Amino acid sequence: MNKSMNNSYIEVNLNTLRENVRAIGRTLPVGVHIIPVLKDNAYGLGLVPVAAALEPMEQICAFAVSHVSEGMELRAAGIRKSILVMSCALPFQLETAVDAELTLACARPGFASELAAAARAAGKTAHIHIKIDAGLHRIGFETGDELMALASELSEAGGQISVDGAFSHFSDAGDTERVEQEYADFMSALRRLERFGVHVPFRHIACSAASELYTGMELDAVRVGRRLYMDNPEKEHQTGIIRELASWRTYITAVYKRRAGERVGYGKGISLDSDRDIATVGIGYGDGLDERFAGIKAPVLVNGRQARILAVFMDQCLVDVTGIDCAPGDELTVFGYDGRGGFISSQDQAMLISAAEGCGLTSALSGRVARVYTDRPFE
């Protein structure tokens, strides 16, 4: 993308990305691998560029995505490491997925039989990680009789399916009691599978938050998504070792002097209680700017100074820049670094409008936000 032709761009520092992975690796026991979770276009930051930057790193054993299409995109881009599709692949996707050597989540009765048929058609061995439902109740085998039926399916599949691992997902990483129970249930399920003759050589359950908050549950690998890009939003748990690597910047398109009592925005809009300088900015909710930012007058950075969002439309927004020397073409930073030493955390911005993490803000960015990559050292 040519950022000069786009009204905004998100700058992603790949050097910081790799430094974050190294920092995570230093917190893990020796021999524990890292599985970057690159779903939803790597949380909006660019699936292929992020994977390409990380693939040479030795501690990374695989990548995780949600959809077969994401795995296929990585394969088409030349990514050769193992790719785990964590959601249920659709029946009509199986043969193509096997041919591309994607590792699929085996998470429902009948899946192994369907996959074995697809593997025969593709002339290849299918690879799976068994998904255990330890409490989230989204997809996966519960820890009871379903596992015996799965073992039977796998036995009938013969050599068409290779069980490469098993995984689960905590339903609430912040609830210690639930985490401990779900971890115990996962380990119990693995023991049951072994008793039924299903050997599981690789196990993973910890996500970003769990890898920050708990020790002893790392098993063979931890899956990290948000933690690749930003630190824990819960201040009391912040590790302090992860730096944000993405900065969303846009531009002022016009600046107007508005008088007290005038209204700005659709409908009743906002009534100004004093004379104000109002900048029109060239992004809106069509670009991924959350409309709730207007309701809380979220901060942004303009020429090293803090300004406030007043209204958000589809393609534009209004920002109060009173007292700030600015003009059309000047940059405005929604989150990240502004190039002048200023910084607004995406985590802090997200916490202003909900309990969601900052990766929800980057995931929401539309295709017309240019993705720009740099490798410069963090300053």
Side-chain angles (χ1 to χ4, degrees):
M1 267 185 188
N2 182 353
K3 75 174 186 179
S4 67
M5 291 295 102
N6 292 72
N7 275 22
S8 74
Y9 67 99
I10 186 161
E11 183 180 87
V12 181
N13 192 313
L14 298 176
N15 182 66
T16 303
L17 171 68
R18 289 187 289 266
E19 286 299 318
N20 286 347
V21 171
R22 294 186 186 101
I24 294 167
R26 289 191 290 270
T27 70
L28 300 175
V30 175
V32 175
H33 292 87
I34 294 172
I35 302 176
V37 178
L38 305 184
K39 61 185 181 179
D40 193 15
N41 196 28
Y43 293 79
L45 301 182
L47 174 65
V48 170
V50 169
L54 295 180
E55 186 169 35
M57 303 188 75
E58 185 176 349
Q59 198 165 7
I60 291 173
C61 65
F63 295 109
V65 297
S66 283
H67 297 167
V68 168
S69 61
E70 296 170 324
M72 297 299 293
E73 185 176 350
L74 289 177
R75 285 287 187 249
I79 299 299
R80 300 316 311 160
K81 279 191 173 177
S82 178
I83 299 170
L84 171 63
V85 180
M86 297 186 295
S87 299
C88 280
L90 295 165
F92 51 82
Q93 297 172 334
L94 298 183
E95 186 175 339
T96 299
V98 171
D99 188 59
E101 299 180 356
L102 303 181
T103 302
L104 301 180
C106 181
R108 61 172 174 81
F111 183 86
S113 299
E114 295 168 14
L115 185 61
R120 283 190 290 272
K124 290 186 175 181
T125 299
H127 295 264
I128 64 169
H129 281 203
I130 298 169
K131 175 63 187 294
I132 303 299
D133 179 6
L136 183 57
H137 299 325
R138 188 166 56 186
I139 63 170
F141 294 95
E142 295 190 1
T143 56
D145 294 341
E146 288 185 355
L147 295 179
M148 184 180 295
L150 170 62
S152 177
E153 270 193 77
L154 292 172
S155 176
E156 292 174 3
Q160 296 295 150
I161 295 178
S162 171
V163 178
D164 294 351
F167 71 109
S168 190
H169 198 298
F170 293 122
S171 60
D172 184 356
D175 186 328
T176 301
E177 184 177 348
R178 289 176 68 180
V179 164
E180 291 176 349
Q181 183 60 59
E182 289 173 4
Y183 180 80
D185 288 344
F186 178 57
M187 299 305 291
S188 174
L190 296 180
R191 289 190 294 270
R192 286 176 63 87
L193 284 171
E194 292 284 351
R195 288 199 299 271
F196 296 147
V198 179
H199 176 59
V200 178
F202 192 84
R203 308 150 303 159
H204 51 105
I205 187 171
C207 59
S208 288
S211 70
E212 292 165 330
L213 301 175
Y214 306 100
T215 58
M217 299 183 183
E218 297 89 352
L219 298 174
D220 298 302
V222 297
R223 301 187 306 272
V224 290
R226 181 269 302 161
R227 200 180 181 196
L228 294 171
Y229 317 118
M230 58 196 67
D231 214 339
N232 195 310
E234 299 295 335
K235 303 297 184 184
E236 63 269 26
H237 296 307
Q238 276 193 341
T239 61
I241 64 171
I242 303 300
R243 293 191 176 104
E244 291 199 23
L245 54 87
S247 302
W248 187 18
R249 304 186 189 116
T250 181
Y251 304 94
I252 291 173
T253 58
V255 181
Y256 300 96
K257 292 188 177 296
R258 302 299 185 191
R259 295 181 179 178
E262 288 186 333
R263 293 184 179 274
V264 297
Y266 286 125
K268 293 183 179 180
I270 299 170
S271 179
L272 301 178
D273 58 6
S274 61
D275 293 350
R276 313 299 291 173
D277 294 335
I278 306 298
T280 305
V281 179
I283 58 169
Y285 64 79
D287 303 276
L289 185 65
D290 198 296
E291 293 178 85
R292 291 173 291 177
F293 280 144
I296 52 104
K297 297 183 179 179
V300 293
L301 295 175
V302 177
N303 292 340
R305 301 276 302 279
Q306 191 175 100
R308 296 281 176 174
I309 297 175
L310 296 182
V312 176
F313 316 111
M314 176 178 278
D315 309 301
Q316 301 176 82
C317 64
L318 300 179
V319 176
D320 187 344
V321 294
T322 305
I324 301 174
D325 185 16
C326 58
D330 286 354
E331 279 195 338
L332 178 151
T333 300
V334 181
F335 56 76
Y337 302 89
D338 67 355
R340 294 170 174 253
F343 173 68
I344 293 183
S345 166
S346 64
Q347 292 285 52
D348 289 344
Q349 292 287 63
M351 296 295 279
L352 290 175
I353 54 175
S354 71
E357 296 177 334
C359 55
L361 301 184
T362 59
S363 292
L365 298 181
S366 76
R368 66 182 181 185
V369 178
R371 273 67 173 177
V372 176
Y373 300 91
T374 179
D375 252 318
R376 67 173 179 267
F378 183 86
E379 298 177 356

